[in-house]
Amino acid sequence: MKVIDCIKQAKSTLFSIEILPPLKGKSIQSIFDGIDPLMEFKPSFVDVTYHREEYLYKKRDGGYLEKVSIRKRPGTVGICAAIINKYHVDAVPHIICGGFSREETENALIDLHFLGIDNVLALRGDSIKSESEFIPEPNGHAHAVDLIKQMEQMNRGRYIEDDLADVSPTNFCIGVAGYPEKHSEAPNMVSDIKFLKAKIDAGAEYIVTQMFFDNAKYFEFVKKCREMDIHVSIIPGLKILTTKKQATLLPKVFNIDIPQALLEEIEKCKTDAEVKEAGIEWCINQSKELIQQKAPCLHYYTMGTSETTRRVASKVF
Ligand code: FAD
């Protein structure tokens, strides 16, 4: 079922999760081990992230350094197919602009279409570490909105080669990312939401937010989106804070704030085990308030571990 139909048919707030493909060489069993304990909460869909290539320098015989391209977490599409097959639950592959030409994107979308996967989350992706800003592939997309336009064209049966006969239109339900605390590169919130609206106008049907720890930021974001004529469902993305280090790392990586009250709780903790308990408690309270305020779905970033998400879900679903 399409994510948007799950939301339309829901009588209460839905539960969904996001997982990362395992590191290259690891078994898919680690994915199943992560999902199994969460199935009792009936996730409406499972998002699977996409990880583009990175460049590393490897020391070769003779001491010279060779620049090699590696993908640490391949397998997004295969994992989605395996999840659908094993759990009969909808899987949402993340599709990014970075590293893809338009032709490669088209071919990836044809694979999904053939597999019967009709949900996608369309993203630009971040710049690779060796680049100071995002650089699209030659003939690739510079922004998520351009990727959505390509998907929409395919939904209308229009492929890059415009002289194909008897084409089969795709049927993608497209989700996009939104940022309650603003995307790091956006000059201000109004500009960021204007570009978010362009993604909706291009055909995206719902928004999943970046993680946030202060519900007030989400409520304010939803209000601003509505004021700027965005009326699709805005799904809050939630992460459970589990280590002291994350209190400084997450703001840097995701351009978000840690609320002072949460920071004070973390500072009281002597060990990361205690931080995890505080993080779970915080997320339970966040979740309860979001449900009370009728958020369409709570989307948990599991980051490869299900235990904390299971503990939160068991208190709120
Ligand atoms: P865009 O919508 O293209 O926006 C990027 C920036 O450009 C913003 O500052 C925006 O304001 C601005 N902008 C947008 N359109 C235009 C325009 N037409 N002209 C000028 N400026 C414009 N990354 C991955 O690599 N893999 C994943 O699986 C992944 N999953 C994610 C899931 C969620 C829910 C979220 C919130 C993020 C995810 N990311 C993922 C990270 C995401 O790719 C980065 O945050 C990236 O920097 C921006 O992606 P976007 O789709 O929001 O980009």
Side-chain angles (χ1 to χ4, degrees):
M1 195 193 286
K2 292 183 173 183
V3 168
I4 193 66
D5 293 327
C6 295
I7 295 171
K8 276 184 198 152
Q9 289 174 18
K11 295 199 169 53
S12 55
T13 302
L14 301 173
F15 168 69
S16 65
I17 55 171
E18 182 160 316
I19 60 166
L20 277 69
L23 288 167
K24 188 184 274 184
K26 300 274 183 235
S27 148
I28 194 159
Q29 190 55 43
S30 62
I31 293 289
F32 299 149
D33 291 345
I35 296 177
D36 284 345
L38 299 174
M39 284 311 290
E40 67 172 290
F41 307 108
K42 299 190 172 41
S44 297
F45 53 94
V46 178
D47 274 51
V48 184
T49 55
Y50 187 91
H51 300 258
R52 66 179 293 190
E53 76 285 4
E54 293 172 36
Y55 290 94
L56 294 181
Y57 287 91
K58 289 209 169 174
K59 210 169 195 171
R60 297 299 186 207
D61 290 349
Y64 75 92
L65 294 174
E66 187 189 358
K67 188 178 178 187
V68 288
S69 156
I70 57 157
R71 279 188 58 209
K72 287 186 181 165
R73 293 179 185 274
T76 301
V77 173
I79 292 168
C80 286
I83 289 172
I84 294 169
N85 187 40
K86 184 170 163 67
Y87 299 103
H88 306 288
V89 66
D90 285 295
V92 184
H94 291 189
I95 301 288
I96 65 170
C97 305
F100 284 85
S101 66
R102 292 176 72 227
E103 284 76 14
E104 287 162 341
T105 298
E106 185 175 89
N107 291 335
L109 293 170
I110 289 171
D111 277 344
L112 295 179
H113 182 48
F114 287 166
L115 283 166
I117 297 174
D118 53 11
N119 288 295
V120 285
L121 195 77
L123 301 142
R124 187 196 68 180
D126 284 320
S127 56
I128 52 176
K129 285 195 184 98
S130 52
E131 293 170 350
S132 60
E133 59 181 36
F134 179 82
I135 300 175
E137 289 302 294
N139 198 23
H141 298 303
H143 291 287
V145 66
D146 306 314
L147 174 59
I148 295 159
K149 284 178 186 163
Q150 182 176 10
M151 291 167 168
E152 264 300 297
Q153 285 292 314
M154 289 178 70
N155 278 352
R156 289 160 202 259
R158 296 193 196 125
Y159 289 66
I160 295 171
E161 278 173 61
D162 54 11
D163 54 355
L164 299 178
D166 296 329
V167 290
S168 158
T170 57
N171 190 22
F172 292 115
C173 167
I174 307 165
V176 288
Y179 302 83
E181 300 181 61
K182 189 182 85 58
H183 184 260
S184 60
E185 296 161 30
N188 62 41
M189 199 61 169
V190 171
S191 157
D192 208 20
I193 296 180
K194 261 167 73 180
F195 287 124
L196 178 57
K197 176 157 166 35
K199 294 195 277 191
I200 305 303
D201 291 346
E205 294 182 87
Y206 68 98
I207 297 165
V208 182
T209 76
Q210 182 57 280
M211 65 179 75
F212 56 88
F213 292 90
D214 180 354
N215 284 353
K217 301 249 167 93
Y218 167 80
F219 297 133
E220 185 56 28
F221 176 66
V222 174
K223 187 165 161 263
K224 280 197 189 119
C225 287
R226 303 303 180 226
E227 283 166 7
M228 290 177 68
D229 228 9
I230 295 176
H231 300 290
V232 298
S233 295
I234 303 180
I235 299 176
L238 297 171
K239 148 107 183 91
I240 302 157
L241 199 134
T242 51
T243 65
K244 232 173 209 177
K245 200 169 159 212
Q246 287 175 352
T248 47
L249 191 67
L250 297 177
K252 207 160 64 185
V253 176
F254 297 108
N255 196 47
I256 55 162
D257 275 357
I258 302 294
Q260 185 57 23
L262 175 57
L263 199 57
E264 283 167 13
E265 286 305 311
I266 295 166
E267 280 164 359
K268 281 186 219 155
C269 298
K270 291 190 184 62
T271 61
D272 276 345
E274 287 177 22
V275 174
K276 187 161 95 177
E277 293 306 311
I280 289 171
E281 195 57 33
W282 187 271
C283 192
I284 289 171
N285 291 333
Q286 260 194 291
S287 303
K288 284 183 174 166
E289 188 185 23
L290 289 163
I291 289 174
Q292 198 205 349
Q293 295 297 318
K294 303 202 168 8
C297 177
L298 303 189
H299 186 71
Y300 293 90
Y301 295 111
T302 65
M303 306 281 201
T305 57
S306 57
E307 186 236 334
T308 48
T309 307
R310 194 190 57 72
R311 284 185 53 196
V312 170
S314 68
K315 295 282 186 224
V316 294
F317 286 100

